[in-house]
Amino acid sequence: MDAKALFSLSYGLYIISTNHDGKASGCVINTLHQVTSSPTQVSIAVNKDNYTQSQIEQSGKFEAMILTQDVDMDVIGTFGFHSSKNMNKFETLPHELDEYGIPYLTQHVASRLLCRVVLAMDIGTHMLFIAEVEDAQVLSSEEVMTYAYYHQVKNGLTPKNASTFQETNNEVKRGWRCTICGYIYEGDPLPSDFICPICKADASAFEKL
Ligand code: FE
């Protein structure tokens, strides 16, 4: 099997969030799809190692934010490479709460969908949720982010927990690699005061390639 064949698939980039027992959580996914129009249903696949996955399983509801191209890589870093178990990812970012108290970002989001889980299926590493869209709102007319744009223009990385992760996703270059998020600093030496632009780890978290 040529695993590169899967690279031909196209995806968007999304943040999903939920609120369970008063605790907010959220993470980045690239696996949101509309699966039916009547009723309006979507599917998402979320890694079972993600804290947000178990929180959605328990709350039965989530917000899905469709990101735009100008989203800060900081936001991707926070939601894609840290766990909500230890932090409130929304705290320092512009957000609002929906009718269930689920936070959603209000900047660099094309639209948001409030979804109610109708089916959860264990598919191994990931949980597949089918959900009915209860409410939806357009927030911006900015261009939406595609996964290709994230990789090619924003130089973004694929976290190990992503449905589409392959070792070859993150092409090995020369330089220094952040052991937290995989960001690669192309150059040598690594400045001693360097801070990872994605996950904010300091120079000690970097390993030489
Ligand atoms: Fe990093």
Side-chain angles (χ1 to χ4, degrees):
M1 182 175 98
D2 184 353
K4 284 198 181 69
L6 282 306
F7 292 170
S8 309
L9 290 165
S10 43
Y11 304 90
L13 202 63
Y14 316 98
I15 289 175
I16 51 165
S17 62
T18 193
N19 180 337
H20 177 62
D21 273 351
K23 182 159 171 54
S25 59
C27 66
V28 174
I29 61 164
N30 67 332
T31 50
L32 168 72
H33 305 280
Q34 182 174 356
V35 289
T36 61
S37 62
S38 182
T40 306
Q41 293 182 121
V42 296
S43 68
I44 56 169
V46 191
N47 195 294
K48 289 195 280 186
D49 287 340
N50 282 11
Y51 183 70
T52 304
Q53 186 279 320
S54 59
Q55 294 295 97
I56 289 175
E57 211 177 341
Q58 295 175 81
S59 72
K61 292 188 179 64
F62 62 91
E63 286 279 348
M65 288 142 265
I66 299 155
L67 302 176
T68 60
Q69 283 182 357
D70 56 356
V71 66
D72 290 336
M73 290 303 277
D74 275 8
V75 173
I76 307 281
T78 299
F79 282 89
F81 295 97
H82 291 277
S83 175
S84 292
K85 200 170 186 174
N86 316 310
M87 67 188 290
N88 180 352
K89 297 178 177 181
F90 289 89
E91 205 163 33
T92 59
L93 296 166
H95 67 278
E96 282 184 29
L97 302 179
D98 71 11
E99 63 197 271
Y100 298 107
I102 304 172
Y104 60 90
L105 299 175
T106 49
Q107 284 183 5
H108 312 305
V109 171
S111 318
R112 56 166 274 253
L113 312 174
L114 167 57
C115 306
R116 182 175 51 82
V117 175
V118 294
L119 186 69
M121 188 190 291
D122 188 331
I123 53 170
T125 55
H126 287 64
M127 189 67 82
L128 182 72
F129 294 108
I130 306 293
E132 189 166 335
V133 179
E134 274 191 4
D135 193 14
Q137 184 186 10
V138 174
L139 294 170
S140 161
S141 56
E142 290 159 19
E143 281 287 308
V144 300
M145 175 84 96
T146 64
Y147 211 47
Y149 186 92
Y150 168 70
H151 280 292
Q152 287 155 21
V153 182
K154 307 276 259 192
N155 213 7
L157 300 159
T158 303
K160 278 205 159 56
N161 283 355
S163 296
T164 52
F165 178 79
Q166 293 184 17
E167 284 297 340
T168 48
N169 275 163
N170 302 326
E171 197 181 315
V172 177
K173 297 167 185 163
R174 286 181 188 284
W176 293 75
R177 175 168 45 209
C178 175
T179 54
I180 311 291
C181 77
Y183 173 82
I184 291 167
Y185 175 81
E186 292 180 71
D188 195 46
L190 179 76
S192 60
D193 59 351
F194 191 76
I195 300 291
C196 177
I198 305 292
C199 74
K200 307 298 175 203
D202 65 25
S204 66
F206 280 73
E207 62 180 10
K208 196 168 172 31
L209 296 172

